[in-house]
Amino acid sequence: MPEGTYQFTQEFFPDQVTFCHLNIGIDGISLYFLMLTTLIMPISILSNWENISPSFSNSSNDYLRGGPTRIRAAFLLFLYTLFGSLFILLAFVVIYYNVGSTDFQIISLSDINFDSQKILFLAIFISIAVKTPLVPFNTWLTYAHSEAPVGGSIVLAGVILKLATYGFIRIMLQFLPDACSYYSPLVQMFAIISVIYASLSTLRQTDFKKLVAYSSVSHVAVVVLGLFSNTIQGIEGAIILSLAHGLVSPALFFLVGGVLYDRYHTRTIRYYRGLVAYIPVFALFFFVFTIFNAAVPLSANWVGETLCLIGTFQRNPLAGVLGATGIVLSAAYSIWLYNRLTFGSSMSFDINRREYIILLPLLILSIVLGIYPNVVLNDIHSSVSSLIYT
Amino acid sequence: MGGGMEAHKNRWIEDWSTARENLEHNFRWTRRNLALVGIFGVAVPVLIYKGIIKEFHMQDEDAGRPYRKFWLA
């Protein structure tokens, strides 16, 4: 079988329907995102167990109920996504009109002319930049995270943000390579601005869910830097960092939005102190995931971030250095948050069995990927090589 | 979960927390804000963009090839 092609392909409605034809399959790039989604979905349901369990006596909540300004957050999410998706839909229609198919392999083999690629890139970039999110399209994310229930935050951080990464790889790098080179300084500029501005915004947050949301913006911007470095290290690092972020960020949202918010019903950091004395197991998990979020060595985040920045530095040292400032800022806000929440004096119930079971697979996978990233890198190497060199 | 452990909301902490979250209600186009938007919203991104392109062009010069074409460059 040729390297970098799709496996486990499935064809739907080949004979019954004439106007559409659906083929699905997996390759090295999509495999791990699929596995991440499969892991995150039951975790997000279990994380909201108190709200959906039949024995829970408080009738005011259901799985989808959010915070008091959820209408505004929903409007922002809807309008931003709708605005971006309009352009990407038009772009897909143009691609279909030019190529005659929407099959990935057929489009990647066809030659879209450079001027068309430039316009298609801008149209698709707007949509994917909203979902990534990159500054200045990131406003919806912080509202969505702070108002969503913990299950919603976990799905948003663990799955939906990775759709943007996957969109960059699958659509832009694969179908529009010339336009990607032409616009790479522009995308790198947006990514660097996102890293620095989002990190600085994170430092001044008073709501811990918004803090973790802003830190997500900063980390996914490093992913974008790696993707547009046009190096194998950069793209593989971007995939690893996406996967790592998809493990660590849901865990952080669960710890702050699930464990702490379930007990204290407030997200304001000022109310919290001294958690290490009374809920030490929570403090341990929180410490581990906080330092993983700050990309400490032996974490999967470190592997991904290092590879992304190495790839970026190889192509453009200035972009690499500016992107690396996010490491310092990330350490600053992570340590500040951990210090503020866990030291001092307070009282609470520690992690229970359900919460322990939710956190343990995320912790083990983050450590395994950090110590032995070849588990993923070996499998994605052939797909990423064929993406760059074909 | 959380029975009896809810944080006792403190009016001053709530006011302090809200005061930092109300930019969209209280933003005004003053000279200071205009300057900040101009610097951090326009000047810094433009400088970073020009710097990245200059870096690419310096690599092209060192390699002895014509400058690569980028958007607005």
Side-chain angles (χ1 to χ4, degrees):
Chain A
M1 168 152 321
E3 286 188 352
T5 57
Y6 297 99
Q7 299 180 17
F8 303 108
T9 54
Q10 180 103 24
E11 205 175 335
F12 292 91
F13 317 125
D15 303 316
Q16 294 90 337
V17 177
T18 54
F19 60 85
C20 68
H21 195 198
L22 181 62
N23 267 342
I24 57 175
I26 305 174
D27 75 343
I29 294 173
S30 53
L31 170 65
Y32 289 98
F33 288 112
L34 257 164
M35 289 165 66
L36 176 68
T37 307
T38 312
L39 173 68
I40 292 296
M41 292 313 291
I43 284 179
S44 85
I45 293 170
L46 269 179
S47 67
N48 253 64
W49 188 250
E50 295 295 332
N51 293 335
I52 61 177
S53 162
S55 64
F56 185 58
S57 59
N58 184 348
S59 60
S60 66
N61 292 320
D62 61 28
Y63 178 65
L64 297 176
R65 184 71 63 88
T69 53
R70 60 190 178 278
I71 306 292
R72 180 186 163 81
F75 262 120
L76 277 173
L77 170 62
F78 174 71
L79 289 173
Y80 269 91
T81 308
L82 186 69
F83 175 74
S85 61
L86 171 65
F87 294 99
I88 200 171
L89 177 64
L90 291 173
F92 288 163
V93 169
V94 168
I95 290 175
Y96 177 73
Y97 180 73
N98 280 319
V99 175
S101 171
T102 51
D103 185 283
F104 284 168
Q105 285 177 310
I106 295 174
I107 298 175
S108 59
L109 290 172
S110 70
D111 191 21
I112 303 175
N113 86 46
F114 184 47
D115 290 330
S116 301
Q117 280 197 33
K118 286 195 281 191
I119 297 174
L120 288 170
F121 181 97
L122 288 175
I124 297 173
F125 177 71
I126 291 173
S127 169
I128 299 185
V130 166
K131 268 285 165 257
T132 304
L134 291 175
V135 170
F137 306 109
N138 66 314
T139 321
W140 65 273
L141 183 74
T142 48
Y143 285 99
H145 270 306
S146 67
E147 300 305 325
V150 65
S153 286
I154 286 173
V155 169
L156 188 50
V159 176
I160 296 177
L161 265 50
K162 313 302 163 273
L163 290 176
T165 307
Y166 189 67
F168 272 127
I169 298 171
R170 190 61 80 202
I171 300 173
M172 301 183 95
L173 295 181
Q174 196 166 347
F175 302 160
L176 311 172
D178 300 325
C180 284
S181 297
Y182 183 76
Y183 285 114
S184 66
L186 180 69
V187 178
Q188 287 177 338
M189 182 270 290
F190 275 118
I192 289 166
I193 293 292
S194 300
V195 168
I196 297 174
Y197 287 14
S199 299
L200 292 174
S201 298
T202 310
L203 278 169
R204 71 183 304 277
Q205 292 306 310
T206 58
D207 174 330
F208 49 49
K209 270 187 104 176
K210 278 195 175 162
L211 190 148
V212 180
Y214 269 111
S215 79
S216 288
V217 175
S218 169
H219 290 300
V220 181
V222 177
V223 168
V224 174
L225 264 182
L227 288 174
F228 279 81
S229 64
N230 200 26
T231 57
I232 290 197
Q233 297 93 318
I235 296 176
E236 290 185 352
I239 295 173
I240 288 266
L241 182 55
S242 287
L243 296 173
H245 183 262
L247 295 172
V248 170
S249 197
L252 281 175
F253 276 113
F254 178 69
L255 285 165
V256 298
V259 175
L260 285 188
Y261 188 76
D262 267 355
R263 287 156 175 75
Y264 294 105
H265 298 295
T266 178
R267 294 190 301 267
T268 305
I269 296 172
R270 265 256 158 116
Y271 287 112
Y272 294 94
R273 60 173 63 188
L275 297 177
V276 70
Y278 296 94
I279 47 173
V281 180
F282 164 84
L284 175 64
F285 274 106
F286 190 50
F287 175 69
V288 172
F289 283 112
T290 300
I291 61 171
F292 282 9
N293 197 39
V296 78
L298 287 189
S299 66
N301 300 66
W302 175 77
V303 176
E305 207 159 302
T306 307
L307 286 174
C308 283
L309 292 171
I310 286 173
T312 307
F313 193 84
Q314 277 179 358
R315 285 287 180 254
N316 194 310
L318 176 66
V321 167
L322 290 174
T325 58
I327 299 174
V328 175
L329 296 169
S330 165
Y333 61 68
S334 299
I335 291 170
W336 178 80
L337 176 66
Y338 182 74
N339 190 40
R340 197 68 191 84
L341 292 186
T342 55
F343 296 116
S345 61
S346 185
M347 180 173 172
S348 183
F349 291 109
D350 209 336
I351 297 246
N352 62 30
R353 181 182 299 209
R354 173 186 65 91
E355 292 160 349
Y356 189 74
I357 288 170
I358 289 172
L359 289 167
L360 203 56
L362 298 173
L363 179 67
I364 291 171
L365 285 170
S366 298
I367 293 173
V368 165
L369 276 185
I371 296 173
Y372 191 60
N374 275 355
V375 159
V376 171
L377 287 175
N378 284 344
D379 290 337
I380 65 176
H381 186 72
S382 62
S383 301
V384 172
S385 303
S386 68
L387 182 69
I388 293 211
Y389 296 122
T390 58
Chain B
M1 260 333 215
M5 281 196 303
E6 293 85 0
H8 295 296
K9 299 284 168 77
N10 178 303
R11 189 187 134 208
W12 307 111
I13 294 178
E14 294 299 312
D15 285 348
W16 169 81
S17 178
T18 311
R20 304 181 74 165
E21 305 284 332
N22 62 3
L23 184 67
E24 62 263 25
H25 302 299
N26 295 331
F27 183 80
R28 299 284 179 272
W29 282 108
T30 60
R31 279 160 58 164
R32 179 176 181 269
N33 286 342
L34 201 59
L36 287 174
V37 168
I39 292 170
F40 291 105
V42 178
V44 166
V46 166
L47 278 171
I48 293 176
Y49 184 69
K50 294 262 184 234
I52 292 173
I53 289 186
K54 192 158 176 30
E55 186 73 46
F56 279 128
H57 287 173
M58 278 164 52
Q59 292 172 6
D60 294 333
E61 265 181 42
D62 292 342
R65 60 180 178 236
Y67 285 171
R68 279 171 280 183
K69 290 260 178 275
F70 299 111
W71 183 61
L72 296 182

